[in-house]
Structures are given as C-alpha cells and as structure tokens.
Amino acid sequence: MNICITGASGLLGRACVRAFADTHLLTCAWSRAKAGDLKLDLTNHKAVHKAMEKHRPELIIHTAAERRPDLCEKDIEQTHAINVAATQSLVEVAENIGAVLVYISTDYVFDGTQPPYATGAQCCPINEYGKSKRAGEEVVLATSTRTVILRVPILYGPVETLGESGISLLLHELKRQVPMKINHWAIRYPTYVDDIAQTLRGWADQLLTDSECRGIYHMSGGEALTRYEMACTMAEALGLDHSHLSPDPAAPIGAPRPHNCQLDLSRLQQETTLFQTPFREGIARALSIDWMDQNQKTTG
Ligand SMILES: NC(=O)c1ccc[n+]([C@@H]2O[C@H](COP(=O)([O-])OP(=O)(O)OC[C@H]3O[C@@H](n4cnc5c(N)ncnc54)[C@H](OP(=O)(O)O)[C@@H]3O)[C@@H](O)[C@H]2O)c1
C-alpha cells in the first residue's frame, strides 16, 4: 500500500506514521521535517503537484493544518493558505492520479449549541479556524468524489513539547502547584491520536476499494470532559495533587469557542472498528514516560 501522510511532523501525523509503518510511506513535513521526510510547503501549489505526481500515492492522509484558533483569528490569510488553498492543491492532484484523499477536519465546523451532531448536520463555525476548516471541506467535496472527511475533536497524544496540545499543557499547570482556575464550561471529547491512526489503519483497505466509503465521518473519544475534569483525571492517573486547581464556569477568552460539539459517531462505527482508549489510560500512556521526570518545555 502506497500512502502519503501530510503533517507527518504534527501530533496526529506522527501517530499516523507509527500506524502505517508497515506500508510504503511518503511522509511530508515542513518546518520540522526530519531525515526521511519530504520537506514540502503545501502552500506551494506547483511543488505539491510535482511531488504527488512523482510519488503517486494511492491514499493521502491530509492532517497538515493551522489548528490554533487564536492564531487563525489573527492571520486569516495564512490560515486560508494552509487550511483551504493547500487542501485544494492536494485534492486536485489526488483526483489527477486516482488517489483517495482523507481530509482531517474538526468538530469546530459546528457552533456547539445543538449536540450531538450527525455527519449531515448543518455547519455553522463561530471562529476563523472552524470557518477555514469548513472551507477546506467544501473544496474537498466539490473537487473529487474519491474523498473522505474525518472530523475529530480536541486531540492528545505523545508530545514533543507540552505546549503542542492544550491537554498536555494541563500537566504544566498540575506540576506548577500554583492556585489556578481551569475552564469548566466547554464540553470536549478528548481523542487519543493513536486511536485515530489505528482506526484509519484498520479502515485503509476498505477506503481504497469500497466506493461507498466516501463523504463525511465523525470520530472521537468516548468521554465528555471539561478541561478542569481532564486536569483532575490526568492528576489522578499520574499520581499528582490537583487541590490547587478550581473549576472556572465562564466561557474562555480569546477566539470564540463552541460549548459542546459532541459528534455522532454512528456512521464510522457501522463501517469499521473504532478505537477509543479511555482518557485516563491514554493520557497516562502519552505523558508519563517522557514528561513526569523532566522540567517542562511548554513551547515549540
Ligand atoms: N489538535 C487538535 O486538538 C485538533 C482538533 C480537531 C481537529 N484537528 C485537526 O487535526 C489535524 C492534525 O492536527 P495536529 O494537532 O496534528 O496539528 P499540528 O500538531 O499542529 O501539526 C500541524 C502539521 O501541519 C504541518 N504544516 C503546517 N503548515 C504547513 C505548510 N505550509 N506546509 C506543509 N506542512 C505544514 C506542520 O508541519 P511542520 O510542523 O513541519 O511545519 C505539522 O506537521 C489538523 O487538520 C487539525 O485541523 C486537530
């Protein structure tokens, strides 16, 4: 199986690289490209066409994106370049070479007022990040029929820096032992990146051969948790004290965030095996080995 993973240096991309290690892999990264990766700026339309026409993957898993909502709010042009225009280049070339493209999208295409959301529910993003990812979805759906959109909510997994995920950053707050309020308003479904990658790996043959496996799917972890609840669960799983943390019932500041974007997973569950590691187990696996005994680096 000839696979291309974009965003191979990112949180989800690295998990996909681990899960697809047994295949013939083309890993694309940009500022964090390592030996063996193709260093490819996906906003360079010509370079994207040239690379894909040369390597001719059968399946492209497109994880690369700008996914930090506050940054998206500030730099709409750059956000559009990577989340929409680069997606357009990839889906066009996928169509030319006959590849199936999986576009990783987000629960932030919804406004969070009417959960749970079916795959066909009307999108109504309330921040620039959600709007750009929805625009990426529209490009995917309009350009090729050999495409799959997989919407996922907040992700966690083995990180290179604690700041790489809003969830791993909570470990920093736990270890600082300074009294702090943690958001207890937004309801999230934290999702372990290796579960998404394993689900995709198990589904890959079917994605290549079954023309019914097209269009929009939803995937998420199985537990509804606020950030405060995630911090407490993380503390218990890692044997840390959380008595210095208190719940903050207010909506977070910064880019507007939806309240509860619970995704209806039934379509994916009917078609393949959905991996759902319990949060307590996943977060312990993701963080305990690398981070418990180290001083924290919080930014990349
Ligand atoms: N993280 C979440 O909580 C979350 C929630 C819902 C949905 N999602 C979606 O899930 C997907 C994966 O997210 P993630 O958390 O794994 O993202 P991430 O860790 O921030 O990684 C982003 C990836 O995109 C690549 N990239 C950015 N600009 C690029 C460019 N111009 N050319 C080539 N590559 C570029 C980065 O490459 P370099 O680092 O090498 O530059 C990196 O590999 C995204 O589509 C995101 O929208 C994420």
Side-chain angles (χ1 to χ4, degrees), residues 7 9-12 30-32 41-42 63 67 129 133 155:
S9 51
L11 188 62
L12 177 59
W30 180 228
S31 60
R32 288 180 285 167
D41 178 6
L42 293 172
T63 80
R67 51 94 199 151
Y129 168 62
K133 293 294 289 188
L155 305 179

Side-chain angles (χ1 to χ4, degrees), residues 5-18 63 193:
I5 296 167
T6 74
S9 51
L11 188 62
L12 177 59
R14 296 195 304 271
C16 290
V17 173
R18 291 192 285 277
T63 80
V193 286

Side-chain angles (χ1 to χ4, degrees), residues 4 29-30 128 183 209 236 276 300:
C4 170
W30 180 228
E128 291 301 330
N183 188 268
T209 53
E236 285 152 19
Q276 281 183 315

